[in-house]
Amino acid sequence: MFARLGAVVVHNPWKVIGLWLLLTIAVVAAAPELKSTTDQSAFLPSHYESIQALELQQRAFPDSSAPAAIIVFAREDGTPLTDADSASVVSIGNGLRDAQIKDVIGMQPTPPSDNRLIQIIAVQMTKVTNPNDTTQGDAVKALRAQLKERVEGTELKAGITGQAAQVLDQRESGDKGMAIIGIATVVLILVLLLIIFRSPVIALLPIVVIGTISSMVNGLIAMVAKAFDLEIDASISAILVVVLFGVGTDYILFLMFRYRERLRAGEDSKIAMVSAVTRVGEAITSAAGAVIIAFMALVLSTLGMFRAMGPALAIAVAVALAAGLTLVPAVVSLLGTKVFWPSKAWRTEPKGARFTAAGNALGRRPGVFAVASGGVLVVLGIFAFGFHPTFDLSSGSTSEASESVVYSKELVKGLPAGTTQPSDVLLRSDGALAADQLTAYRNALAGVPGVGQVAEPKLSADKTIADFAVTLDAAPESDAALDTVKGPLRNTAHSAAPAGTTAAVGGMTSVFVDFQDAMARDYAIVFPVAGILIMIVLGLLLRSLVAPWYLMASVFLGFAATLGAAVLVFQHFRGETGLIFTLPVIMYLFVVALGTDYNILMVARLREEAREGNEPKQAAALALRHTGPTIAAAGVILAGTFASMMLAGNNVLAQMGFAISVGIAIAAFVMAMFFTPALTALIGHKAWWPGHGDQKPEGPGPESREVVGTSIGGN
């Protein structure tokens, strides 16, 4: 199949290129706008209490306009506010209200805090229902500009925080981060490919090809999101960039290594490309299949953000694979050996002394290599038991210097940390709620440990629903706040509800509590399903029931080691309270899927060497010698592209970038390069049971019986 595909592409390059351009134009023209959301509640199913409370609140109070932003005032010298300062705050608030800033519909100054360190103005804004609506963000920008002018010349400092300000800062931080990631990814790929091939043409090839198909990928994702009503999380865009460029470059790299090898064997440039597609096709298709399966397993997730992420990333990988097997060969077949210009190094095969020496050492003592590499994985994996999830996405996804983060910290000097996003307790009755019932219920809520204050209830028009705004002592996303809502607040809200009424606790903290429950369910379902499906792919490719088990065991160790490394760096060395709660799922999929890629490449080459009559230990040595350079180059490029996420300037992407890049490095340089071939050498012929995959097959010549995709690592 791949031989026919290669022949068709190489003999019709202009038609293939034209078809890709037409498909890209058609998809971009027909695709709707790709929308994303930062509203975490949009990702939870409706049976969770936080979502039920939100829906009840929206029905009962459709015109409710809770403060969208909070202006925080404090003295520059950090001393308590004087009466004159407080009067200035009120005056500034009146001036801002009189300025009639667009979409600011109300401003309510409050008295100074009990310790007089801060004073706030609650700002109400036009409600937005579309997550892409920038109305509130524009209002925050205008307010900040006016506020800066009015505070000048006073002894006060002031800034805006709250949900609208946080969303604005997240969006601006995300845009800046995306630009940094995009530039860093492109520069890294250019530099590494220049070092590997010493040719600007090959260095530019992935940038041009992947840059061209990226618009098609975004269009296809937008179509799927609209067709299946998927909520795309804002962070997917950053991951999508590195997946598309990283994985796409890997597939192009595998093809070009094999193309160069066939040229060195004396084949004509067009024949060499057909041979390259023929021999590399099954390997990268299987590898891409493992990645796609792992990503698509996310559709089983309870959380909408993962259900959308799975198809989005699977589409990116599938398009990158198709381009790697058709568009790239078409372009290279037109260029011929000029693709290596100006280097002449492609004509001669380097000695590869380092990989030869490493392969020989592994062949002599596979047990030592298995214990040493496995020991590294186990030691790092021990730290994974210390993993602690955090839900602090508001500050974690923006710079620590952003105004919303800075003034959130100022706010807690005088008011409960939960002031920015109070929880809501909704009390519902079949009949009108009595005043004494509301008073008693409010007192019960106020007595809950961890609750700072409970506002007077807001009643619906028919007085059957009451909304109690509950301000927590701790920040809404903190462990203390989650423990308060999950335990005493929900327990009291339900148990203290008067006879004939029901209660539901809503708000962002309640959403995060339900996220914890949903994540636990996803860990129990998505992980095993992805693992089983990848094992099936390995079993079909290798025609063995033994190899998939120890290959997946090695990948699991790689996952544990990666999580342990992230815990060690961020929780122990940097002293952070935890890692973002989505990290294990994202990391598992990347490490398992991409780690399996490299295992496939190494074991497939090892099997080829065994079929040539080499004993298991010698086959492992030769496999490392020939495939090691490709896995090393691919690992460096892919790990480097994900590492670029650490330059984005916020903790969420920094943790993702670090964990995934370290996971890929472990998968390439520890697991696939040493642990897997060492185990295969130790297990010997039994690794291929019940088949005889390591025995030389009978039949036609080597072209038809070659294990496609092996020896990709030919220098």
Side-chain angles (χ1 to χ4, degrees):
M1 179 181 77
F2 292 103
R4 288 195 297 272
L5 175 64
V8 169
V9 169
V10 168
H11 291 100
N12 301 277
W14 287 113
K15 291 181 180 178
V16 172
I17 295 171
L19 181 61
W20 270 97
L21 290 175
L22 287 175
L23 286 174
T24 300
I25 294 170
V27 169
V28 172
E33 181 185 359
L34 180 59
K35 299 178 179 180
S36 62
T37 180
T38 57
D39 180 7
Q40 301 302 319
S41 64
F43 302 124
L44 278 171
S46 59
H47 67 269
Y48 283 101
E49 181 173 343
S50 59
I51 305 304
Q52 292 173 349
L54 176 63
E55 292 173 348
L56 181 61
Q57 185 182 44
Q58 291 174 341
R59 288 199 306 269
F61 309 100
D63 299 323
S64 174
S65 54
I70 296 173
I71 306 176
V72 182
F73 292 85
R75 282 186 61 87
E76 284 278 8
D77 57 11
T79 59
L81 295 165
T82 64
D83 290 340
D85 293 330
S86 184
S88 295
V89 170
V90 174
S91 176
I92 291 172
N94 291 336
L96 291 173
R97 183 175 58 246
D98 295 340
Q100 296 184 343
I101 296 172
K102 184 180 179 183
D103 295 307
V104 174
I105 59 177
M107 304 191 73
Q108 182 61 50
T110 67
S113 60
D114 291 341
N115 61 8
R116 300 190 67 87
L117 288 179
I118 64 107
Q119 187 170 353
I120 67 171
I121 297 177
V123 183
Q124 294 175 325
M125 297 179 178
T126 303
K127 291 182 68 175
V128 295
T129 55
N130 183 349
N132 293 290
D133 191 335
T134 61
T135 297
Q136 291 189 346
D138 294 338
V140 170
K141 288 181 182 178
L143 266 177
R144 283 176 171 171
Q146 293 259 359
L147 180 64
K148 183 178 180 181
E149 293 178 4
R150 295 174 189 274
V151 171
E152 282 184 4
T154 71
E155 295 181 340
L156 299 173
K157 61 180 180 180
I160 303 177
T161 186
Q163 186 172 8
Q166 289 170 350
V167 169
L168 171 65
D169 289 343
Q170 286 175 27
R171 183 182 296 120
E172 291 181 346
S173 178
D175 292 342
K176 179 182 177 182
M178 282 294 297
I180 293 173
I181 289 170
I183 293 170
T185 298
V186 169
V187 170
L188 183 69
I189 290 173
L190 283 172
V191 170
L192 291 177
L193 288 182
L194 277 171
I195 292 172
I196 294 170
F197 288 100
R198 302 172 189 173
S199 166
V201 181
I202 291 184
L204 288 170
L205 184 63
I207 307 301
V208 174
V209 171
I210 298 169
T212 301
I213 66 174
S214 62
S215 55
M216 175 191 286
V217 170
N218 286 329
L220 291 173
I221 292 172
M223 290 178 176
V224 171
K226 183 178 181 180
F228 295 97
D229 193 28
L230 299 175
E231 294 283 355
I232 302 294
D233 179 48
S235 65
I236 291 179
S237 298
I239 300 175
L240 190 63
V241 169
V242 292
V243 166
L244 196 55
F245 276 94
V247 174
T249 302
D250 264 11
Y251 295 158
I252 294 172
L253 189 67
F254 299 155
L255 182 73
M256 294 308 298
F257 263 106
R258 179 53 74 108
Y259 176 60
R260 187 175 66 179
E261 179 184 334
R262 299 317 304 165
L263 288 173
R264 287 171 177 169
E267 292 183 354
D268 171 79
S269 62
K270 290 188 179 295
I271 295 175
M273 181 50 69
V274 175
S275 297
V277 174
T278 302
R279 298 168 187 237
V280 84
E282 184 179 346
I284 66 172
T285 300
S286 299
V291 178
I292 291 170
I293 285 172
F295 288 156
M296 288 304 294
L298 285 175
V299 300
L300 301 175
S301 172
T302 304
L303 300 173
M305 64 187 300
F306 288 133
R307 287 201 305 275
M309 180 185 291
L313 298 181
I315 288 170
V317 173
V319 174
L321 172 66
L325 291 178
T326 57
L327 182 57
V328 173
V331 173
V332 175
S333 67
L334 291 174
L335 296 173
T337 57
K338 294 178 182 178
V339 75
F340 298 105
W341 180 89
S343 174
K344 300 292 192 295
W346 62 270
R347 296 176 177 174
T348 57
E349 183 175 350
K351 297 179 180 179
R354 291 176 184 154
F355 287 97
T356 299
N360 291 338
L362 184 145
R364 288 193 301 270
R365 297 182 176 180
V368 173
F369 276 79
V371 171
S373 55
V376 170
L377 299 177
V378 170
V379 169
L380 285 175
I382 291 173
F383 289 97
F385 290 101
F387 167 70
H388 185 271
T390 179
F391 292 81
D392 185 4
L393 300 183
S394 58
S395 61
S397 55
T398 59
S399 167
E400 287 293 313
S402 66
E403 187 171 314
S404 61
V405 174
V406 170
Y407 280 89
S408 287
K409 294 176 179 177
E410 285 288 333
L411 183 69
V412 300
K413 293 179 180 178
L415 290 175
T419 302
T420 55
Q421 293 189 41
S423 295
D424 291 284
V425 178
L426 281 295
L427 186 66
R428 180 179 184 179
S429 174
D430 293 332
L433 289 162
D436 59 334
Q437 289 180 313
L438 296 175
T439 300
Y441 192 65
R442 182 188 177 202
N443 291 337
L445 295 177
V448 172
V451 169
Q453 58 191 32
V454 181
E456 288 285 347
K458 181 167 50 177
L459 285 174
S460 61
D462 59 3
K463 297 185 178 181
T464 60
I465 299 174
D467 183 353
F468 296 83
V470 178
T471 302
L472 304 176
D473 287 331
E477 69 283 343
S478 67
D479 293 334
L482 267 65
D483 290 341
T484 297
V485 169
K486 180 167 53 178
L489 183 57
R490 280 189 174 178
N491 292 339
T492 301
H494 298 155
S495 62
T501 66
T502 57
V505 180
M508 189 52 63
T509 306
S510 186
V511 168
F512 287 149
V513 168
D514 290 337
F515 257 104
Q516 283 185 324
D517 182 67
M519 291 294 295
R521 180 260 183 196
D522 286 353
Y523 290 156
I525 294 178
V526 176
F527 284 15
V529 168
I532 291 170
L533 291 176
I534 292 175
M535 282 188 67
I536 292 173
V537 171
L538 288 171
L540 292 174
L541 175 68
L542 301 175
R543 294 163 182 84
S544 166
L545 294 178
V546 176
W549 284 99
Y550 70 82
L551 291 177
M552 285 305 296
S554 70
V555 169
F556 173 77
L557 281 175
F559 164 75
T562 303
L563 182 57
V567 169
L568 189 63
V569 169
F570 288 96
Q571 292 183 207
H572 292 279
F573 292 164
R574 295 186 56 174
E576 296 179 8
T577 57
L579 302 171
I580 55 170
F581 69 99
T582 57
L583 189 62
V585 171
I586 295 172
M587 194 183 69
Y588 174 86
L589 294 169
F590 280 105
V591 173
V592 168
L594 299 173
T596 303
D597 275 12
Y598 298 141
N599 272 344
I600 287 174
L601 295 173
M602 179 59 75
V603 174
R605 179 58 188 248
L606 193 152
R607 182 175 62 174
E608 179 188 4
E609 297 297 343
R611 285 180 167 181
E612 294 299 322
N614 296 297
E615 288 301 309
K617 292 182 180 181
Q618 182 62 18
L622 292 171
L624 177 55
R625 172 187 173 185
H626 293 296
T627 310
T630 301
I631 291 178
V636 168
I637 288 177
L638 196 58
T641 54
F642 277 102
S644 68
M645 295 173 69
M646 291 189 285
L647 302 175
N650 69 68
N651 207 35
V652 170
L653 292 180
Q655 289 185 13
M656 281 188 188
F658 174 84
I660 297 173
S661 60
V662 167
I664 291 168
I666 288 174
F669 294 98
V670 179
M671 184 174 65
M673 203 170 291
F674 297 112
F675 190 61
T676 296
L679 280 181
T680 306
L682 290 172
I683 296 172
H685 299 292
K686 295 178 182 178
W688 312 103
W689 184 88
H692 304 283
D694 61 336
Q695 295 181 8
K696 193 170 185 178
E698 297 179 0
E703 279 297 319
S704 62
R705 70 172 181 257
E706 180 178 10
V707 179
V708 181
T710 57
S711 75
I712 295 173
N715 298 328

